[in-house]
């Protein structure tokens, strides 16, 4: 009876996954083997041509740029998020923790598009940063802060940082503080306690944060489009333009499937690492 109730309880989630994620992926996979007709429609003719084109030299720099910016975003978020999450977890007063969590989640109350436009106001040549630096005499001409990799990196780190903080905080908040005291009593320095105790016990949250940051950063298209300009395309911009502008849905589907495979491989690696970390803690 309990098994039947459990299956009934998870049935809505299974249906959502099947019809909301699985079925659309199968449709995209099928379209990726089709061809674009002369009027921008889909001609269903089995061919590997879209994948051959997707792996061509023309798009290799875009893949490398996307991968590099996603890695840089992930590392930057990790460096910024871990100390903050650790500081939040060490707070003894509940209202302090709740207030800090509220501040971390506060940006979600506003549209991501609006927040990206706010960065345009800050970074453009006539924006707040350049105007302030010029007024103070620190610079003699506006800095080139827009339409480059720097602007994209700033936008991606700002947008994805909460997704790194929250998983790390959730794990570190449950960390037994007696372990830290015991390690300190045994003569371990602060860095040694961090490397031998805190870091191994927080691997599940670390991997969750890495996946939650790297995957959206790899497929981002709004931030590169608004802050990077046309010269800094990422793979997400390629997919978006193929569907919405060029109307080459088969090729856009092939690139999307390639991106999905990368995401699934990363999720599998993260799952294996988190599982091994849990097994180590049990032992």
């Amino acid at each position: 009876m309990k098994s039947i109730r459990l299956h009934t309880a998870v049935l809505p989630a299974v249906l959502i996954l099947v019809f909301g994620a699985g079925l659309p992926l199968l449709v995209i996979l099928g379209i990726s083997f089709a061809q674009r007709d002369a009027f921008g429609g889909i001609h269903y003719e089995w061919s590997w041509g879209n994948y051959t084109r997707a792996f061509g030299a023309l798009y290799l720099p875009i893949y490398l740029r996307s991968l590099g910016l996603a890695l840089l975003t992930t590392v930057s978020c990790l460096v910024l998020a871990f100390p903050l999450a650790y500081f939040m977890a060490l707070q003894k007063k509940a209202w302090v923790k709740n207030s800090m969590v509220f501040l971390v989640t506060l940006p979600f109350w506003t549209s991501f598009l609006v927040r990206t436009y706010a960065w345009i106001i800050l970074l453009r040549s006539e924006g707040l940063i350049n105007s302030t630096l010029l007024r103070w005499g620190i610079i003699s001409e506006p800095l080139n802060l827009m339409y480059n990799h720097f602007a994209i990196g700033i936008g991606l780190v700002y947008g994805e940082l909460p997704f790194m903080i929250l998983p790390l905080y959730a794990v570190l908040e449950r960390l037994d503080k007696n372990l830290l005291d015991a390690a300190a009593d045994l003569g371990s320095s602060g860095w040694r306690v961090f490397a031998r105790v805190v870091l191994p016990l927080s691997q599940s949250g670390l991997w969750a944060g890495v996946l939650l940051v790297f995957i959206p950063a790899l497929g981002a298209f709004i931030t590169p489009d608004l802050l990077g300009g046309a010269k800094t395309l990422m793979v997400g911009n390629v997919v978006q333009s193929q569907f919405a502008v060029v109307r080459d849905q088969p090729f856009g589907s092939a690139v999307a499937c390639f991106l999905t495979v990368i995401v699934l491989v990363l999720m599998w690696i993260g799952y294996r690492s988190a599982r091994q970390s849990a097994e180590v803690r049990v032992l």
Side-chain angles (χ1 to χ4, degrees):
M1 182 64 67
K2 291 183 178 180
S3 177
I4 296 176
R5 291 178 179 177
L6 179 61
H7 293 160
T8 305
V10 301
L11 183 60
V14 173
L15 293 176
I16 291 175
L17 288 175
V18 170
F19 292 100
L23 190 59
L25 284 177
L26 290 177
V27 173
I28 292 295
L29 180 62
I31 295 176
S32 67
F33 292 102
Q35 298 295 318
R36 177 184 183 272
D37 61 23
F39 301 99
I42 301 174
H43 178 61
Y44 289 96
E45 179 182 352
W46 183 273
S47 173
W48 290 93
N50 294 317
Y51 288 96
T52 303
R53 179 185 169 191
F55 288 107
L58 178 63
Y59 296 96
L60 182 60
I62 298 177
Y63 299 148
L64 295 178
R65 183 187 304 122
S66 302
L67 183 62
L69 286 172
L71 287 174
L72 180 61
T73 301
T74 305
V75 173
S76 301
C77 287
L78 182 59
V79 172
L80 294 173
F82 210 112
L84 178 58
Y86 189 53
F87 176 76
M88 293 167 58
L90 291 180
Q91 299 303 310
K92 297 181 179 179
K93 296 182 179 180
W95 70 270
V96 176
K97 289 184 178 181
N98 295 334
S99 298
M100 298 185 74
V101 172
F102 170 76
L103 292 176
V104 170
T105 58
L106 187 60
F108 295 140
W109 293 21
T110 307
S111 169
F112 180 74
L113 185 62
V114 174
R115 287 183 278 141
T116 304
Y117 275 112
W119 276 107
I120 296 178
I121 297 174
L122 291 173
L123 297 176
R124 64 184 182 182
S125 299
E126 305 82 10
L128 180 62
I129 294 177
N130 277 313
S131 299
T132 302
L133 294 178
L134 287 171
R135 188 181 303 112
W136 290 352
I138 299 177
I139 58 175
S140 57
E141 59 182 15
L143 299 175
N144 184 23
L145 302 178
M146 279 286 294
Y147 307 122
N148 50 36
H149 291 173
F150 171 79
I152 297 176
I154 289 292
L156 290 176
V157 170
Y158 167 76
E160 307 301 337
L161 186 59
F163 295 105
M164 182 69 77
I165 296 175
L166 295 177
L168 286 173
Y169 168 74
V171 173
L172 293 173
E173 201 273 335
R174 297 195 304 266
L175 182 65
D176 189 358
K177 307 306 185 294
N178 293 325
L179 297 176
L180 307 181
D181 297 334
D185 292 339
L186 292 174
S188 297
S189 62
W191 284 109
R192 192 175 182 85
V193 171
F194 173 79
R196 291 296 188 91
V197 179
V198 177
L199 191 59
L201 294 177
S202 61
Q203 284 189 13
S204 59
L206 189 148
W207 273 107
V210 167
L211 291 176
L212 289 174
V213 170
F214 183 83
I215 292 173
L218 183 63
F221 68 93
I222 293 179
T223 301
D225 189 35
L226 295 179
L227 299 181
K231 295 182 180 180
T232 51
L233 288 176
M234 293 179 65
V235 64
N237 300 108
V238 175
V239 176
Q240 186 268 343
S241 65
Q242 295 299 321
F243 276 90
V245 181
V246 184
R247 296 187 64 187
D248 192 350
Q249 298 181 34
F251 178 66
S253 299
V255 178
C257 289
F258 171 64
L259 187 62
T260 302
V261 171
I262 295 178
V263 169
L264 291 176
V265 170
L266 292 173
M267 291 180 65
W268 179 77
I269 294 175
Y271 170 76
R272 288 291 302 272
S273 301
R275 185 175 180 181
Q276 291 176 0
S277 176
E279 291 176 353
V280 170
R281 288 200 301 270
V282 170
L283 294 176

